[in-house]
Amino acid sequence: MGTKRPTITDVARVAGVSKGAVSFALNGKPGVGAQTRERILAVAHDLGWTPSLRGRALSVSRALAVGLVIARTPETLGVDPFFASFITGIETALSERGYALMLHVVSDAQSEHESYRRLAATGRVDGVFLTDMRVDDLRPQLLDDLGLPTVVIGLSPGHGPWSSVYIDDQPGITAAVEHLVALGHRNISHVAGPAEFVHGVSRRAAWASAITDAGLTPGACITSDFSAQGGADATNQLLDLPEPPTAIVYANDLMAIAGMSTAIGRGVDIPGQLSITGFDDSPLAAYLQPALTTARTDVVGWGRAAAYRLLALVDGEKGCEIDLPSPVLVVRASTAPPCHQGTGAPLKDRRGPAPIRDRKKFR
Amino acid sequence: MGTKRPTITDVARVAGVSKGAVSFALNGKPGVGAQTRERILAVAHDLGWTPSLRGRALSVSRALAVGLVIARTPETLGVDPFFASFITGIETALSERGYALMLHVVSDAQSEHESYRRLAATGRVDGVFLTDMRVDDLRPQLLDDLGLPTVVIGLSPGHGPWSSVYIDDQPGITAAVEHLVALGHRNISHVAGPAEFVHGVSRRAAWASAITDAGLTPGACITSDFSAQGGADATNQLLDLPEPPTAIVYANDLMAIAGMSTAIGRGVDIPGQLSITGFDDSPLAAYLQPALTTARTDVVGWGRAAAYRLLALVDGEKGCEIDLPSPVLVVRASTAPPCHQGTGAPLKDRRGPAPIRDRKKFR
DNA sequence: TTGTAAGCGTTATCAA
DNA sequence: TTGATAACGCTTACAA
């Protein structure tokens, strides 16, 4: 620590060559003789030289980092399994290229915009991921204006000119509804995420059309906020209805877990009197009582694909489409035939991936 | 976007002064006349100039960013409320200073070391946070060798020469045990985190000594791994004992939730036959059935304090100690007197913060 | 094939 | 108080 880190100038001096030669040699580019190259590499190794990203970043006019801005409170972020997996996936792709991830966690949309502006203005990142897409989201336009390469997460390709990496969450909801219909449920409710979010409305639409497709009428739907409190409140409202549903499809696991607890607290037997499905396959889902039937998405793969895409975009390439698996339904113990079975025969035909019967059991 | 961003060279040229003058003017330093300064600022504003962090970073030999390396799988990271809050806290401090957070999520200790080496070698960060401290952790020494300023999270000051920001988690566990003892429990078990981690052994020690202090003998203790599966397994083992505990203190909420579900699945009434406490106060805790009694820590404040400390360290200052509140016990419905009440009278005296009776209820 | 020199955008030094 | 000028560490176009 006493002595400063060696630079290519040091290497050049010791090796008796120019800085340019050193740069070429270290980057494996042509333009330097074989034995000169070896000598340079040997000197660099002896001196313990490592490239300075600061110098390189300035020189190539790149930050060699990408950004992820998350506008969430600790409460909603801390129990959402999405970002942990997503970031893990991102990292696998970035580390291969020596890129790093700058993370900003902000509380509201206001500081979110501010955050993007700063990221762009200071040149800290070469591109960003856009998550938690909203209906009529202003951010793609903002980032366009800022000239910051952007990969949008979870917006179906038709929705705009932006580069997006998409996993359709609808098959997960559809599979849940079909699973419930096959069990004999006829009054299936939905607890939706905010209408402000794309994944909120998308899952709601999937629920409604899956039920319609089964020849049934959609049950009550309550728009909530993806939080535990919201899931609990919505569940109470549904159970207070004159004709409460026999099954509830929740838009995420957190609301489903809170909803399930609420129902149990009211003396409702699950799945005997009420079937419940979630979305996310939280690491907790399999260990609840009863274990939660829920839709699982390959979020790590999603993150990896998004990162590859963003890096390609930064390089000015188009970026190849990566096939990502659709969500699959993991059937556990929170779903069962309703106690007052409907009259219609269970449907046999189903679309989308076949449900998985989860094998994990308590020992 | 068509034209490049203006640099101070542009500003200097337009304002008809030198680059140095511009730098002084923009940084509010003395050495430039009042009206010259105003003219420079006006030009900078007109041109839409913003400082380039890449140029500045190279010039001041600083990255203007700090790093957080997390060695966890998505499964354990996604349901742990700690990091979401901690990062939120970090950001509040960093953003004031224009610093950014580089996040690395890696899977194992091997790539964790690699990660730190790269961060240091490439000069990407000016300092790092060290979390999830292990007993005989090798990382402080590594970072010392790398010359990277480090703030250790959750290591009591006596444990080494390193700068640390500490919240003692023991009062949380102690309060839980005392709460249970006051309720009349005499056979209190513990499901501990891995002995490899400091917070694993610390919480276990707190449990043991709190029980001893109450004049009781510690019940069975099972060392687990902070995961849902681990919590479930440990609970089964405890309930299979010839004399199963009437209360279990879990080292974190995730294991407590899985354990509670496991017990319920075996027909055990909670809190009637078994009381349960967690640690973390997960956003889910209040919405379970029964709601979970657990210890709450001000993790956001912890993150903020750690960031202030690290920035001070980077600046070569000592960094002031920031008083952080001890964990408090949030008493909810998962704890109650045991059904076979012990003979001893409930203890009255308690140390540490008084338990909070949580008011949140389902509407 | 090699070496030289000019950027990249700041900050800092040092004459004037 | 100014204003050139030299770092900072790297890449790269260009000349030898």
Side-chain angles (χ1 to χ4, degrees), chain B residues 12 40 111 131 138 154 201 212 230 291 294:
Chain B
I40 291 172
S111 37
T131 62
L138 299 173
V201 298
T212 309
T294 184

Side-chain angles (χ1 to χ4, degrees), chain A residues 29-323:
Chain A
K29 292 190 181 174
V32 56
Q35 54 188 14
T36 317
R37 171 175 313 236
E38 264 190 44
R39 181 159 43 92
I40 292 171
L41 292 179
V43 169
H45 181 80
D46 288 352
L47 262 49
W49 175 88
T50 51
S52 157
L53 238 42
R54 297 203 277 264
R56 181 195 298 243
L58 183 60
S59 183
V60 299
S61 299
R62 287 242 186 119
L64 304 172
V66 294
L68 174 61
V69 179
I70 305 178
R72 296 232 190 160
T73 60
E75 288 74 33
T76 40
L77 186 55
V79 282
D80 187 337
F82 177 83
F83 281 103
S85 298
F86 191 70
I87 290 175
T88 301
I90 287 176
E91 295 278 11
T92 62
L94 292 187
S95 64
E96 294 174 6
R97 289 272 306 265
Y99 263 69
L101 179 69
M102 308 226 88
L103 180 68
H104 276 216
V105 176
V106 298
S107 48
D108 54 302
Q110 162 74 22
S111 36
E112 190 184 10
H113 279 234
E114 189 53 41
S115 202
Y116 283 118
R117 286 186 190 285
R118 280 236 300 230
L119 241 31
T122 58
R124 257 200 203 282
V125 297
D126 297 325
V128 294
F129 302 99
L130 220 51
T131 62
D132 281 342
M133 288 303 292
R134 304 190 185 86
V135 180
D136 298 322
D137 204 312
L138 298 172
R139 294 174 299 167
Q141 186 58 55
L142 169 69
L143 291 164
D144 228 34
D145 295 345
L146 292 172
L148 211 50
T150 304
V151 165
V152 174
I153 307 305
L155 196 63
S156 70
H159 269 76
W162 303 290
S163 191
S164 91
V165 178
Y166 183 55
I167 293 185
D168 186 5
D169 47 10
Q170 298 209 350
I173 297 291
T174 304
V177 170
E178 291 177 346
H179 166 63
L180 292 168
V181 170
L183 288 171
H185 291 272
R186 294 298 174 262
N187 183 356
I188 302 171
S189 278
H190 181 52
V191 176
E196 171 192 4
F197 289 108
V198 168
H199 49 295
V201 298
S202 157
R203 291 172 197 179
R204 176 179 184 151
W207 161 79
S209 63
I211 290 184
T212 309
D213 288 353
L216 301 173
T217 311
C221 174
I222 293 184
T223 297
S224 186
D225 63 354
F226 284 133
S227 78
Q229 173 83 57
D233 292 347
T235 305
N236 275 320
Q237 289 180 48
L238 289 174
L239 295 180
D240 285 339
L241 290 176
E243 282 189 54
T246 63
I248 305 178
V249 173
Y250 292 83
N252 73 344
D253 275 6
L254 184 56
M255 293 196 295
I257 296 171
M260 188 160 78
S261 298
T262 302
I264 293 171
R266 293 171 58 126
V268 176
D269 178 57
I270 294 178
Q273 295 172 282
L274 179 69
S275 285
I276 279 181
T277 70
F279 198 104
D280 282 339
D281 194 25
S282 154
L284 251 174
Y287 298 94
L288 299 170
Q289 186 61 32
L292 185 65
T293 295
T294 185
R296 175 195 297 165
T297 310
D298 177 16
V299 180
V300 174
W302 201 356
R304 193 185 311 122
Y308 280 133
R309 192 65 171 284
L310 184 52
L311 290 178
L313 208 61
V314 168
D315 288 341
E317 300 164 18
K318 174 79 180 58
C320 58
E321 292 289 333
I322 300 178
D323 258 340

Side-chain angles (χ1 to χ4, degrees), chain B residues 317-363:
Chain B
E317 300 163 18
K318 175 78 178 61
C320 59
E321 292 289 332
I322 301 178
D323 259 340
L324 291 166
S326 286
V328 293
L329 189 70
V330 184
V331 176
R332 297 200 182 95
S334 68
T335 46
C339 47
H340 305 295
Q341 181 125 7
T343 50
L347 299 187
K348 279 289 155 46
D349 57 324
R350 49 178 40 147
R351 281 159 309 162
I356 299 174
R357 170 61 63 174
D358 191 51
R359 292 274 163 233
K360 253 183 239 161
K361 288 283 162 231
F362 301 117
R363 293 172 202 155

Side-chain angles (χ1 to χ4, degrees), chain B residues 207-220:
Chain B
W207 161 79
S209 63
I211 290 183
T212 309
D213 288 354
L216 301 173
T217 312

